[in-house]
Structures are given as structure tokens and as C-alpha cells.
């Protein structure tokens, strides 16, 4: 949402410091983003409104929870980019900051179709059971970062279907918004890389 655009400026400057050729694409889910103020490319919801699930996701979430709405749109926007000229895409939340060269993340997508970043809890029982239950509730992987190439479009479509089905925080059902569905990726799809670099995300 537009209140995160100051984060986007900082994220973009961190990318530019590492690589001037970085192309940051930003989906803004409210208002009409003013392109002139930003060096990166801003997109409005019109960009993805033709996706077969967009209207249903909008109907379910846009008027109940803006957070759930924007989280459910991640796979739609990634699919849009991969179907419109990009061969590799890394989704990041706007509050990430790059401190070193990130080109190896794109190189991984020459060998793998999807890259995921795990949570890194220090699970020590019995003294720290909170970290154990935090991962059980929230999922093995952090949805603030996911990388994909064009061979991952089927997986992203599946993720979009899941987000359309339910994007909610419901521990009794084992659901945690868009994130818990990522646990299925290494089992459900081939070519999934689990990034072991703990500096990522």
C-alpha cells in the first residue's frame, strides 16, 4: 500500500548501490502511484486485474483486510512479470535492505525454478518452546522473499489458488495467511531451492 512507498525508496537505493542495473517493480494496491517521483517502476492494480483470480481475491479481501489483500496478490504480480518480459523475479517485502551483491540469487534461478528462505529459529527445548511453536504456526519459510523463474508459473498459479481459497491467520486450521502454503513447495514442485545463506531475508 502507498504508505510503504518510503520503504520502497530505501530498498531501491540499497539495490542501486550494489548493482545499477537492478530493476525494481512495485505493485501499489491503493491510489494511482505517481511514477515521476520514483526511479523504480510503479504499477497500479489495473496491471493484474485481468488475472482470472483477481476479481475473486479483491471481493474476498480488499474490503476486509488490506494486508490479506496485498499478500494474496503476490503470486499474481509475480506471474504478471514472468509473463511480460522478465525471465527471473525475486519478490521482496518493502522493508528489506540489501547490504551486499545479490546477483547469486538470480544465478540460483539458472539451476532452480523457485528459491525459498527458511526461518532460522534456535529451537532449544524445553527452555525455548516458543520458537518451536512460532515456526509450526507461521511456516518453515518466510514469504517476505521468494524467487522464481518462468518454469515456476505453474507453482505460482497454485499459490494464487491457495491464497484465493483462504488468506487468513487461523492456527486451528494450520493456516497462516499466504505464508504457510510455501511449506508445500519442496514437496509439490520440482526445482525448489532452500537458500542456506542466513543473511537472506
Amino acid at each position: 500500500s502507498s504508505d510503504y512507498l518510503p520503504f520502497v525508496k530505501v530498498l531501491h537505493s540499497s539495490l542501486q548501490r550494489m548493482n545499477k542495473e537492478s530493476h525494481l517493480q512495485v505493485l501499489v494496491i491503493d491510489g494511482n502511484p505517481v511514477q515521476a517521483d520514483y526511479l523504480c517502476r510503479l504499477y497500479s492494480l489495473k496491471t493484474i486485474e485481468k488475472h482470472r483470480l483477481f476479481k475473486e481475491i479483491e471481493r474476498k479481501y480488499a474490503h476486509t483486510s488490506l494486508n490479506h489483500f496485498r499478500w494474496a496478490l503476490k503470486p499474481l504480480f509475480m506471474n504478471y512479470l514472468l509473463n511480460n518480459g522478465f525471465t527471473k523475479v525475486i519478490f521482496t517485502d518493502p522493508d528489506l535492505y540489501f547490504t551486499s551483491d545479490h546477483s547469486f540469487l538470480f544465478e540460483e534461478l539458472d539451476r532452480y525454478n523457485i528459491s525459498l528462505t527458511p526461518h532460522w529459529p534456535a529451537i532449544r527445548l524445553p527452555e525455548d518452546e516458543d520458537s518451536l511453536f512460532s515456526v509450526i504456526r507461521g511456516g518453515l519459510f518466510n514469504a517476505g522473499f521468494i524467487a522464481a523463474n518462468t518454469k515456476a508459473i505453474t507453482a505460482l498459479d497454485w499459490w494464487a489458488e491457495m491464497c484465493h481459497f483462504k488468506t487468513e491467520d487461523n492456527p486451528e486450521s494450520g493456516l497462516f495467511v499466504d505464508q504457510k502454503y510455501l511449506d508445500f513447495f519442496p514437496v509439490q514442485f520440482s526445482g525448489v531451492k532452500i537458500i542456506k545463506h542466513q543473511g537472506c531475508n
Side-chain angles (χ1 to χ4, degrees), residues 154-168:
T154 300
L156 294 173
D157 276 336
W158 178 87
W159 190 22
E161 292 275 7
M162 296 300 102
C163 290
H164 168 241
F165 168 63
K166 282 190 190 297
T167 298
E168 61 185 45

Side-chain angles (χ1 to χ4, degrees), residues 3 12 14 28 39 45 47 53-54 77-78 85 122 124 134 182 196 201:
D3 54 326
H12 188 247
S14 75
V28 182
L39 297 173
L45 285 179
T47 305
L53 293 174
F54 174 77
F77 187 48
M78 291 178 73
R124 297 183 188 90
S134 174
L182 298 181
K196 297 297 187 180
N201 196 20

